[in-house]
Amino acid sequence: MLYWLIKYLLLGPWLRLIFRPQVEGGGYVPDRGPAILASNHLSFSDSIFMPLMVKRKVTFVAKAEYFTGKGIKGWLIKMFFVGTGTIPVDRSGGRAAQAALDTQLEVLRAGNLAGIYPEGTRSPDGRLYRGKTGVARLALESGAPVIPVVMLNADEIQPPGKLIPKIERVRIRFGAPLDFSRYAGMAGDRFVERAITDEIMYELMELSGREYVDIYAQKLKTAPPRSAAGPDPATTALAA
């Protein structure tokens, strides 16, 4: 109930009025049945604007720490994630990634929409980075189609680290569903899962027009800072 109140009464109408979202290809999202919305990840606001522009509820997972904060700030953060339909997942320990996938599988098996960021983290510089194969396992185990979706300018509206977004028209683009039924029964095959993930990332690259870098974004984030005259950390990490 809180999800729909926030989306259609408390927050959604104001966001639509202020940011005037422009959506291309929204008709690719099915009116019923399970589907995986696989998106690039440029900004914290991605998890706000993309679900706002989909008629159906989109469920993401997030680390459980977002739901256990102290004080007024912690309560507000918790209420935001609860209100946006986000499910807490304990990401500590070796089974953390599997716990997130299991949660999303339950969402899909119930005939709902699951949202996922294949890169696993926000892009540090706006480029598109190598996808993790969790999205492929999700597609193979659920049999649900994958709908690629790109946030075209979220990093301009709210760059990482910025609390107050800039007032600018939000632009979102959905692509045609990707059907991976030809790989049915091949979940767990790492070569198949990599091929599926790369196909999804290629579609995100085509839809977004963003440069693709074939390394994990998290690896770049942990690379040494780039000096003024030094090499691009992405190049250094790729060679590592």
Side-chain angles (χ1 to χ4, degrees):
M1 180 63 71
L2 182 58
Y3 176 89
W4 300 112
L5 283 174
I6 288 177
K7 185 170 183 175
Y8 288 113
L9 184 63
L10 301 178
L11 186 60
W14 294 103
L15 293 175
R16 289 173 180 268
L17 178 66
I18 294 170
F19 292 96
R20 299 169 295 123
Q22 180 183 52
V23 178
E24 300 175 36
Y28 286 126
V29 181
D31 292 332
R32 61 183 64 85
I36 301 165
L37 301 184
S39 174
N40 65 334
H41 199 10
L42 299 175
S43 168
F44 175 80
S45 64
D46 297 339
S47 299
I48 300 173
F49 288 115
M50 190 267 277
L52 175 66
M53 302 314 297
V54 176
K55 295 178 182 178
R56 299 171 61 192
K57 181 179 178 181
V58 182
T59 300
F60 284 89
V61 297
K63 57 185 180 182
E65 290 87 338
Y66 284 138
F67 297 79
T68 57
K70 304 297 184 182
I72 294 178
K73 180 180 179 181
W75 182 84
L76 288 173
I77 291 174
K78 175 183 176 180
M79 286 299 99
F80 169 79
F81 281 104
V82 169
T84 53
T86 304
I87 298 175
V89 173
D90 183 359
R91 299 201 306 183
S92 61
R95 289 185 48 81
Q98 189 59 49
L101 289 176
D102 289 344
T103 301
Q104 291 291 56
L105 272 173
E106 292 178 10
V107 171
L108 293 167
R109 286 168 179 163
N112 299 316
L113 300 178
I116 189 171
Y117 299 115
E119 293 166 279
T121 187
R122 281 177 287 182
S123 171
D125 55 16
R127 292 183 289 184
L128 188 67
Y129 286 85
R130 194 176 201 219
K132 296 186 176 182
T133 57
V135 65
R137 292 199 299 275
L138 200 58
L140 289 171
E141 293 187 29
S142 69
V146 177
I147 300 171
V149 51
V150 292
M151 311 301 295
L152 295 171
N153 62 338
D155 53 340
E156 299 171 7
I157 294 172
Q158 189 181 26
K162 296 294 184 180
L163 181 62
I164 307 299
K166 182 171 67 171
I167 305 301
E168 185 176 327
R169 190 166 199 177
V170 175
R171 297 171 56 229
I172 305 171
R173 180 178 294 150
F174 292 85
L178 302 174
D179 178 14
F180 296 107
S181 59
R182 63 190 182 277
Y183 296 115
M186 301 182 74
D189 186 317
R190 63 189 182 93
F191 296 106
V192 169
E193 291 177 353
R194 172 47 56 192
I196 290 173
T197 304
D198 288 346
E199 183 176 338
I200 293 169
M201 299 312 295
Y202 179 83
E203 290 299 320
L204 293 179
M205 180 186 72
E206 288 287 289
L207 284 170
S208 67
R210 300 264 176 162
E211 178 185 353
Y212 176 76
V213 183
D214 195 27
I215 63 169
Y216 295 115
Q218 190 60 46
K219 186 171 184 179
L220 179 61
K221 288 182 176 181
T222 58
R226 180 184 181 185
S227 65
D232 184 340
T235 304
T236 303
L238 187 59

